[in-house]
Amino acid sequence: MAKDVIKLSGKRKSAFKDMVMGLLPDGGNLNACLTCGACCSGCPATGFDGMDPRKFLRMAALGMDDAIKESRWPWFCTMCTRCVHVCPMEINIPQLVFNARKLTPRDKVPKGILGSCDMALSKPTNSAMGCSQEDFEFVVGDILDEIKEEYPIWEERNLVAPIDKKGAEFFINQNSREPMIEPEEMGPLWKILNLAGVDWTYGSVGWAAENYCMFMADDDGWKELTQRSAEKCDELGCKTFLNTE
Amino acid sequence: MYNLYARWIREGRLKPDSSWNNDLKIKFTVQDPCQIVRKTFGDPAAEDMRLVVKACVGEENFIDMAPNRSNNFCCGGGGGFLQSGFKEERLLYGRTKDEQIQATKAHYCVTGCHNCHAQIHELGEHFGGGYHAVHAWTILGLALGILGESERVHLGEDLQEVNLPESSG
């Protein structure tokens, strides 16, 4: 038995759930829960802070908007969508979670996520780790030279790692972790692309692959970062935007 | 990206050779990234990833986790969890994934996503499973015979010397 009895007032008020339903096709089926619990039994975040996906949805349905706003659980859910995958009614709980993150006041957003989003927005490179374009170009050139020096075959095979090559087929992004922490991890990808005969380029703007504004549910920031990359890709005339993952 | 790796292998543009593992028989599993498999491309992307890994390590040296593909568990590195500061909860979340990986008895888990890579690397150390998290490009590079000495940071001792290309030094 639950410790506290939830008392409902006569008037139904679920402003949060209704707002999210308005955003989703078929309202994300948020009113269709059979309370079967398949979502919870297959969710690694079940039980954290006494919460689980079904409970979160039921709280929204009951209009417990204040409790949802206070909950840390939306930051423990990774929005992996396994709950939707197993749900007989395909209820979009992750979208409920995404929008619950939006309810978090800026000063209550986990600092690491906020910092990563702000840092990316402050750099034309989109790097959440603050990698500047100068540093990126230096590291890429440095690693390319090292590879060719140690393995001369790559000089013969003309290994390249172009930045802003106009008309390349692929515009490829790169997680900041490589240039910043493990630069030698970039080499294998360049070599694979070389062997496959692929025409590709990095961009001087928007090359960083991570997007923490998206995780923060900051739609404007998410859009800004994505737009920078997409516009650079278009400007270079690249046919395909390719994520390294 | 590994949709393309798979296509290039099918087209003969990349020719990975798994014979380096014929005698070593080092076991590999793959983490199906939620974003790429369940949320975006579905099971065909998971099949592509398996095609690439099997071509690189040998079919008999690949072991799937259970459950897998679109039904796979999230590792706990996604959705910003890695930067959220909730380390205790993140590792607890990852316990599910750790148990899945340990049950395969694989030495390596190929992770096609940076969040998965960071999280599974940490899970292997934290829970003492002893497995390694590796990028797809590392395994592909190894099987293509192009993986240099300095590009083996995420490989264990057992693979530091295997299939090394000829260097100038």
Side-chain angles (χ1 to χ4, degrees):
Chain A
M1 290 291 284
K3 280 189 295 251
D4 304 311
V5 176
I6 298 165
K7 288 184 183 153
L8 301 174
S9 61
K11 205 174 157 197
R12 191 167 160 273
K13 53 175 175 63
S14 47
F16 173 61
K17 191 208 65 182
D18 290 342
M19 181 273 288
V20 178
M21 287 186 78
L23 298 172
L24 301 173
D26 298 324
N29 299 331
L30 296 184
N31 279 343
C33 179
L34 306 171
T35 66
C36 70
C39 51
C40 321
S41 63
C43 171
T46 284
F48 289 27
D49 280 0
M51 189 67 78
D52 60 57
R54 175 175 57 179
K55 194 168 177 181
F56 195 74
L57 175 66
R58 299 318 305 155
M59 284 169 65
L62 292 170
M64 298 168 68
D65 294 7
D66 289 340
I68 281 177
K69 197 174 170 183
E70 292 300 312
S71 172
R72 301 190 302 171
W73 197 77
W75 301 100
F76 302 151
C77 163
T78 61
M79 299 178 283
C80 79
T81 73
R82 193 170 187 275
C83 55
V84 189
H85 184 71
V86 299
C87 177
M89 304 309 289
E90 295 184 40
I91 299 174
N92 200 337
I93 296 174
Q95 278 294 342
L96 200 63
V97 168
F98 181 82
N99 283 282
R101 287 189 180 193
K102 275 189 195 173
L103 301 178
T104 311
R106 211 171 159 79
D107 61 336
K108 295 276 173 57
V109 168
K111 285 191 177 59
I113 295 178
L114 177 66
S116 296
C117 170
D118 283 348
M119 178 60 89
L121 287 171
S122 75
K123 299 279 178 186
T125 60
N126 284 3
S127 172
M129 296 175 80
C131 187
S132 69
Q133 185 51 22
E134 296 71 34
D135 288 349
F136 183 61
E137 282 176 22
F138 175 80
V139 171
V140 166
D142 198 40
I143 292 291
L144 192 62
D145 290 346
E146 269 180 30
I147 291 172
K148 289 180 174 179
E149 197 177 314
E150 197 173 354
Y151 302 100
I153 184 85
W154 293 110
E155 186 69 59
E156 289 167 38
R157 285 179 181 166
N158 192 28
L159 183 70
V160 292
I163 296 172
D164 283 353
K165 182 183 175 192
K166 285 210 163 90
E169 186 181 356
F170 292 102
F171 180 96
I172 297 188
N173 65 13
Q174 185 84 58
N175 191 291
S176 291
R177 254 177 61 190
E178 273 85 58
M180 295 294 274
I181 300 175
E182 301 180 322
E184 63 286 339
E185 285 292 317
M186 294 189 288
L189 178 62
W190 302 345
K191 294 175 189 175
I192 291 164
L193 294 168
N194 174 286
L195 290 183
V198 174
D199 182 20
W200 68 282
T201 188
Y202 288 129
S204 60
V205 170
W207 54 260
E210 64 277 8
N211 192 329
Y212 275 88
C213 299
M214 174 180 71
F215 296 143
M216 207 171 106
D218 171 359
D219 287 349
D220 292 339
W222 176 7
K223 184 180 172 189
E224 166 74 24
L225 295 177
T226 307
Q227 202 163 359
R228 284 182 199 165
S229 304
E231 281 174 0
K232 192 66 192 176
C233 177
D234 281 346
E235 183 195 314
L236 294 172
C238 300
K239 290 191 196 75
T240 307
F241 184 95
L242 180 58
N243 194 315
T244 42
E245 301 187 338
Chain B
M1 184 81 204
Y2 31 74
N3 310 37
L4 287 171
Y5 291 153
R7 185 198 295 177
W8 296 333
I9 290 172
R10 286 193 192 97
E11 291 173 355
R13 290 163 73 176
L14 292 176
K15 297 184 176 66
D17 179 358
S18 64
S19 61
W20 62 270
N21 205 18
N22 284 351
D23 296 327
L24 289 171
K25 301 189 190 312
I26 295 171
K27 305 301 182 205
F28 289 76
T29 190
V30 296
Q31 163 67 356
D32 290 295
C34 309
Q35 181 62 39
I36 295 162
V37 176
R38 184 165 46 243
K39 296 173 78 168
T40 310
F41 300 111
D43 284 348
E47 296 307 332
D48 276 349
M49 194 171 172
R50 281 158 181 74
L51 181 144
V52 173
V53 175
K54 286 177 183 176
C56 293
V57 307
E59 179 131 20
E60 68 282 10
N61 295 311
F62 173 77
I63 305 163
D64 241 323
M65 292 181 213
N68 54 54
R69 298 175 172 82
S70 291
N71 199 26
N72 197 23
F73 288 116
C74 169
C75 65
F81 219 160
L82 282 165
Q83 294 290 338
S84 69
F86 299 118
K87 186 177 172 179
E88 194 185 326
E89 288 84 358
R90 175 168 56 78
L91 291 171
L92 187 62
Y93 187 116
R95 182 77 222 203
T96 304
K97 178 56 53 190
D98 174 73
E99 285 168 358
Q100 255 191 310
I101 298 173
Q102 292 213 36
T104 67
K105 296 194 165 58
H107 295 103
Y108 289 90
C109 179
V110 181
T111 52
C113 153
H114 275 76
N115 291 330
C116 302
H117 184 274
Q119 170 78 346
I120 290 175
H121 172 81
E122 195 175 338
L123 293 175
E125 290 190 342
H126 181 77
F127 293 113
Y131 49 80
H132 302 273
V134 284
H135 296 292
W137 61 55
T138 305
I139 292 309
L140 195 47
L142 181 71
L144 289 165
I146 56 168
L147 197 67
E149 263 187 274
S150 64
E151 294 161 351
R152 299 180 179 230
V153 174
H154 294 294
L155 295 178
E157 287 293 315
D158 52 353
L159 290 177
Q160 290 302 320
E161 308 283 327
V162 174
N163 234 11
L164 269 175
E166 199 179 320
S167 76
S168 61

